[in-house]
Amino acid sequence: MNPPDAGARALAQAFLEQTLSAEGNALMLEHATREEVVRRLASAGRAARGGAVTPGARTSPDAAATGPKIAEAPDLETLAALVASCSRCTLHESRKNPVFGEGAADARVVCVGEAPGAREDETGRPFVGRAGHLLDRLLMSIGLPRTSVYICNVLKSRPPRNRDPLPEEVAACAPYLLRQLALIEPEVIIAFGAFAARTLLETKSALGRLRGTVHRYSGYPVVATYHPAALLRNPAWIRPTWEDLQIVRGMLDGVEDREARIG
C-alpha cells in the first residue's frame, strides 16, 4: 500500500485536532506509578527470554511448558493460536476473547498499549471504539494507515473490571509480546500510555520524563507517548503527542536520532 500524500496527511492532522478539541469527559487510562509492578519487571523480562517463571508469581502449571512453544512459533498465526488456548495466568478464566493483535506482519511500526478493554474483549481486536478511532487518526497524521502498522497490548486478555495488570500477568504475557516483535522485526515501537511505557522500559519514571527521546526494549527502539483515551479527556496533550509521533516519522525517514537509555 502506498503511503498517503502530504495533502492527505495534512487533512488527517486537521481532522484529528478538530475531533480532539470537540471531545469531552472521555475515559482515563493514565495510571499512577505501580511500584510493585516495576520491581518485578526485570524478572518478567528474564522470564520472557528464558521461559523461567518469576519467583513468587502465581502462574499456571503449564507456564514453563508453553514457554518453548511460544519462543519457537514460526509465524504470527501459530502464535495467535497459542494465545487463544493460553492458561499461563488466570485471566483466561474471565475473558470473552483473547486480543492477540492485528496488522501487517512486516510492519515498520508496532503500537503497544496496556491491556484490552471491554470493547476489545468483546471483539477480540485491539484499540477499537473511540480510542481506536483516535489512534487511526494519530497514525494517519504521520502517514501511517492502520493497516500498515501492527497493534497489540502488553496483556492479551482483559483484566476484570479493567483493573491494573498484576505482575504475574505481565510476566505471563511478556513471551508473547517478545515473539511478536521477533517475527515482525519493527523499526520502532510506540508505547501508548504510562503503563505500557513503564513496562517495556522497566522503569518507574513518569511518562513526561520518558517522552521526547528514543529508548530500547529488547533491542527495539521505543518512543513513549500518551494513550489515545487519555487524549480524549485532556486535549492539552494533543500537541505533545503529535510531537512524539514526529520522532517516529523522523526515524522512519532516517533523519531522527535522539536515543536515550533508562538507568
Side-chain angles (χ1 to χ4, degrees):
M1 178 179 294
N2 294 327
D5 58 25
R9 288 165 59 177
L11 286 173
Q13 181 182 343
F15 184 47
L16 166 65
E17 294 181 351
Q18 292 169 4
T19 301
L20 286 173
S21 65
E23 296 285 0
N25 300 320
L27 299 175
M28 182 191 305
L29 288 189
E30 291 301 304
H31 303 287
T33 301
R34 307 173 185 86
E35 292 188 0
E36 182 182 5
V37 174
V38 172
R39 287 197 300 269
R40 302 279 288 277
L41 286 175
S43 295
R46 288 193 294 271
R49 292 169 176 81
V53 178
T54 304
R58 293 180 287 111
T59 53
S60 166
D62 73 341
T66 56
K69 294 180 181 178
I70 296 170
E72 296 168 5
D75 50 48
L76 292 171
E77 290 76 15
T78 301
L79 193 61
L82 291 173
V83 169
S85 61
C86 182
S87 58
R88 288 171 60 87
C89 73
T90 58
L91 290 181
H92 73 281
E93 299 171 359
S94 59
R95 74 187 182 194
K96 293 181 179 178
N97 291 291
V99 184
F100 176 71
E102 65 181 29
D106 58 350
R108 301 177 68 190
V109 175
V110 170
C111 303
V112 180
E114 174 183 330
R119 289 289 301 278
E120 288 79 11
D121 187 46
E122 291 175 358
T123 63
R125 298 183 59 208
F127 280 87
V128 295
R130 296 173 70 212
H133 292 312
L134 178 52
L135 175 65
D136 294 349
R137 298 168 201 156
L138 286 166
L139 294 171
M140 280 295 293
S141 73
I142 58 168
L144 296 175
R146 183 181 177 110
T147 54
S148 72
V149 305
Y150 196 87
I151 303 173
C152 60
N153 288 294
V154 173
L155 296 191
K156 309 306 182 190
S157 300
R158 180 196 181 198
R161 299 175 299 281
N162 289 345
R163 64 157 171 77
D164 294 347
L166 301 177
E168 55 265 31
E169 294 163 357
V170 174
C173 264
Y176 291 117
L177 179 58
L178 282 169
R179 189 57 184 160
Q180 282 175 307
L181 295 173
L183 291 169
I184 298 169
E185 295 186 334
E187 295 178 35
V188 60
I189 298 168
I190 307 176
F192 283 102
F195 185 86
R198 292 178 187 136
T199 299
L200 296 183
L201 301 179
E202 300 185 0
T203 181
K204 59 183 179 182
S205 295
L207 181 58
R209 297 192 62 185
L210 300 176
R211 294 183 47 253
T213 52
V214 181
H215 308 284
R216 292 272 166 178
Y217 171 67
S218 191
Y220 299 98
V222 177
V223 172
T225 194
Y226 297 105
H227 196 286
L231 294 181
L232 289 174
R233 71 175 180 88
N234 194 337
W237 291 341
I238 298 171
R239 177 57 56 181
T241 301
W242 187 81
E243 291 172 352
D244 294 334
L245 294 179
Q246 293 308 301
I247 298 176
V248 175
R249 184 70 260 173
M251 294 176 66
L252 297 177
D253 293 341
V255 298
E256 186 69 50
D257 185 13
R258 277 195 262 176
E259 191 151 333
R261 297 281 180 167
I262 295 297

